[in-house]
């Protein structure tokens, strides 16, 4: 309303004392680049995607078989070719087919999801271990991971070692695969 003064602006200056880091070396890598360029990660993700496609294809095949069965039997029933007893058997068989599709989706879908989680966990553990080796080799005190939903809001691009770290991971891929199998 008229005459009201705008609220005074609050102080946004952080109350954090600046400290000398004494040569502390900090770097980061982009998690999205690891997913896109670390050969082992790409390979593992490809395996899961292929299994997912096979799974989806099998669900589609079973669903089409179910639909074809229903269509055929419905046409036979409309043509008066099925007795009441046969119609009951068709309904029972249709229910069995539907249940089998649902069971397959649940069991196989869970297997693929579990395998994907185990694979991702193993890859992440290796990235962490290789990150330690990378830091020791290049005298980096802190190696941060940057990505969507991460804990780093901002870090200067001069500290970005993504390309170099991905190259290091790819150079050590044989060792990583050997340790995971």
């Amino acid at each position: 309303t008229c005459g009201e003064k705008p609220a005074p602006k609050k102080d946004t200056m952080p109350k954090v004392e600046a400290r000398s880091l004494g040569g502390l070396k900090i770097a980061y890598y982009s998690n999205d680049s690891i997913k896109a360029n670390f050969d082992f990660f790409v390979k593992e993700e490809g395996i899961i995607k292929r299994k997912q496609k096979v799974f989806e294809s099998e669900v589609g095949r079973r669903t089409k078989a179910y639909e074809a069965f229903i269509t055929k039997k419905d046409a036979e029933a409309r043509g008066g070719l099925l007795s009441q007893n046969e119609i009951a058997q068709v309904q029972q068989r249709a229910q069995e087919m539907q249940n089998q599709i649902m069971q397959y989706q649940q069991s196989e879908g869970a297997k693929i999801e579990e395998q994907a989680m185990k694979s991702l966990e193993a890859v992440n553990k290796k990235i962490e271990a290789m990150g330690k080796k990378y830091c020791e080799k290049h005298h980096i005190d802190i190696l941060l991971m940057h990505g969507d939903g991460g804990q780093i809001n901002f870090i200067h691009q001069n500290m970005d070692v993504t390309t170099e770290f991905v190259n290091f991971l790819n150079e050590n891929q044989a060792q990583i695969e050997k340790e995971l199998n």
Side-chain angles (χ1 to χ4, degrees):
T1 62
C2 290
E4 280 189 30
K5 294 180 182 177
K9 290 189 177 189
K10 294 186 179 183
D11 183 13
T12 60
M13 182 68 125
K15 309 281 189 278
V16 177
E17 200 175 305
R19 297 186 181 166
S20 170
L21 298 177
L24 187 66
K25 199 170 176 184
I26 301 172
Y28 77 92
Y29 65 89
S30 168
N31 194 38
D32 290 344
S33 291
I34 295 286
K35 291 176 183 177
N37 300 311
F38 176 28
D39 295 337
F40 185 71
F41 184 92
V42 171
K43 178 181 155 192
E44 287 293 305
E45 189 176 51
I47 291 168
I48 299 299
K49 283 183 178 179
R50 283 190 296 281
K51 287 185 178 193
Q52 183 70 29
K53 281 185 178 182
V54 168
F55 167 72
E56 290 170 1
S57 177
E58 180 61 17
V59 169
R61 187 195 67 74
R62 290 181 183 207
T63 300
K64 283 181 183 175
Y66 166 76
E67 291 168 352
F69 176 78
I70 296 293
T71 302
K72 178 183 177 198
K73 294 302 177 180
D74 185 51
E76 289 175 4
R78 288 178 195 227
L81 302 174
L82 300 177
S83 67
Q84 285 299 105
N85 189 34
E86 288 172 322
I87 289 174
Q89 289 174 344
V90 164
Q91 288 172 337
Q92 183 178 353
R93 177 65 187 133
Q95 186 63 44
E96 287 171 6
M97 290 174 82
Q98 202 171 31
N99 288 341
Q100 288 172 352
I101 292 169
M102 287 191 327
Q103 287 174 349
Y104 177 79
Q105 284 178 308
Q106 290 171 349
S107 67
E108 291 303 309
K111 284 179 190 175
I112 291 171
E113 190 173 321
E114 181 181 346
Q115 185 180 9
M117 291 299 293
K118 283 182 180 179
S119 175
L120 182 60
E121 188 177 306
V123 168
N124 284 338
K125 282 182 181 180
K126 279 292 143 196
I127 290 172
E128 188 177 319
M130 294 308 290
K132 182 177 187 261
K133 287 181 181 182
Y134 181 77
C135 288
E136 288 169 351
K137 181 178 179 179
H138 299 288
H139 310 290
I140 295 171
D141 298 297
I142 301 173
L143 179 62
L144 305 168
M145 177 179 68
H146 189 284
D148 290 340
Q151 296 179 354
I152 301 171
N153 183 303
F154 172 79
I155 189 164
H156 196 278
Q157 67 187 19
N158 288 350
M159 299 175 125
D160 186 354
V161 296
T162 302
T163 302
E164 296 84 355
F165 186 53
V166 169
N167 290 342
F168 180 80
L169 289 171
N170 286 332
E171 287 169 8
N172 291 280
Q173 179 158 332
Q175 177 189 345
I176 292 169
E177 287 188 46
K178 186 174 126 189
E179 291 175 7
L180 285 177
N181 293 329

